[in-house]
């Protein structure tokens, strides 16, 4: 039974920082790429950061590059998103996701590539 559970969302002021955590369990094998997505009500879910299953490189959407950092522990049981210099436009529900064999490149940020999803954690920047 695969479970992804996000935590760490909060209300913060612009310019502040937050670290989101995603606890991962039940994934068999290690061929899973991991990603963070976010969604604003009425808009599509957008991919913002990802790590491919092949290595530890990080892939970012331009809207967060240089401000957000995705990482995972060696056991790949926890995924993190460090968010610095938060802006009002970062306000959204944030989701972590796991997708099998998603390769390096723009596809890492495509929702259709991911099978498993958490329920989300809310980030509000004012």
């Amino acid at each position: 039974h695969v479970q992804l559970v996000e935590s760490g969302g909060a209300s913060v002021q612009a310019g502040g920082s937050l670290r989101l955590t995603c606890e991962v369990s039940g994934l068999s094998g290690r061929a899973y790429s991991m990603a963070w997505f976010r969604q604003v009500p009425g808009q599509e879910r957008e991919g913002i950061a990802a790590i491919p299953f092949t290595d530890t490189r990080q892939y970012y959407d331009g809207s967060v590059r240089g401000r957000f950092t995705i990482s995972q522990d060696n056991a790949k049981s926890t995924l993190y998103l460090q968010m610095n210099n938060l802006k009002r436009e970062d306000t959204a529900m944030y989701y972590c996701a796991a997708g099998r064999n998603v390769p390096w490149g723009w596809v890492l940020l495509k929702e259709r590539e991911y099978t498993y999803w958490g329920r989300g954690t809310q980030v509000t920047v004012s």
Side-chain angles (χ1 to χ4, degrees):
H1 177 62
V2 178
Q3 274 196 310
L4 283 71
V5 181
E6 304 94 336
S7 63
S11 295
V12 297
Q13 291 189 337
S17 297
L18 281 176
R19 188 173 84 155
L20 305 184
T21 297
C22 174
E23 300 290 344
V24 182
S25 61
L27 290 179
S28 59
R30 290 181 173 265
Y32 284 91
S33 297
M34 303 296 299
W36 286 97
F37 286 75
R38 65 185 181 187
Q39 187 172 28
V40 175
Q43 297 184 17
E44 293 186 356
R45 192 152 47 183
E46 62 171 350
I48 56 171
I51 298 178
F53 73 98
T54 49
D55 51 64
T56 59
R57 289 179 293 173
Q58 303 155 19
Y59 195 91
Y60 296 99
D61 181 76
S63 64
V64 305
R65 189 178 296 117
R67 300 187 299 123
F68 291 10
T69 302
I70 185 173
S71 62
Q72 61 185 158
D73 66 346
N74 289 337
K76 296 189 176 183
S77 60
T78 308
L79 185 71
Y80 303 98
L81 185 68
Q82 177 66 42
M83 305 187 294
N84 298 328
N85 190 22
L86 282 160
K87 304 176 181 180
R88 289 185 178 182
E89 52 263 41
D90 295 319
T91 295
M93 184 72 78
Y94 283 71
Y95 301 89
C96 65
R100 189 170 179 83
N101 294 335
V102 183
W104 173 260
W106 60 269
V107 294
L108 280 167
L109 300 184
K110 293 303 178 183
E111 183 178 1
R112 67 173 185 265
E113 300 292 330
Y114 292 85
T115 304
Y116 301 107
W117 294 84
R119 299 181 68 176
T121 186
Q122 178 67 38
V123 173
T124 302
V125 185
S126 60

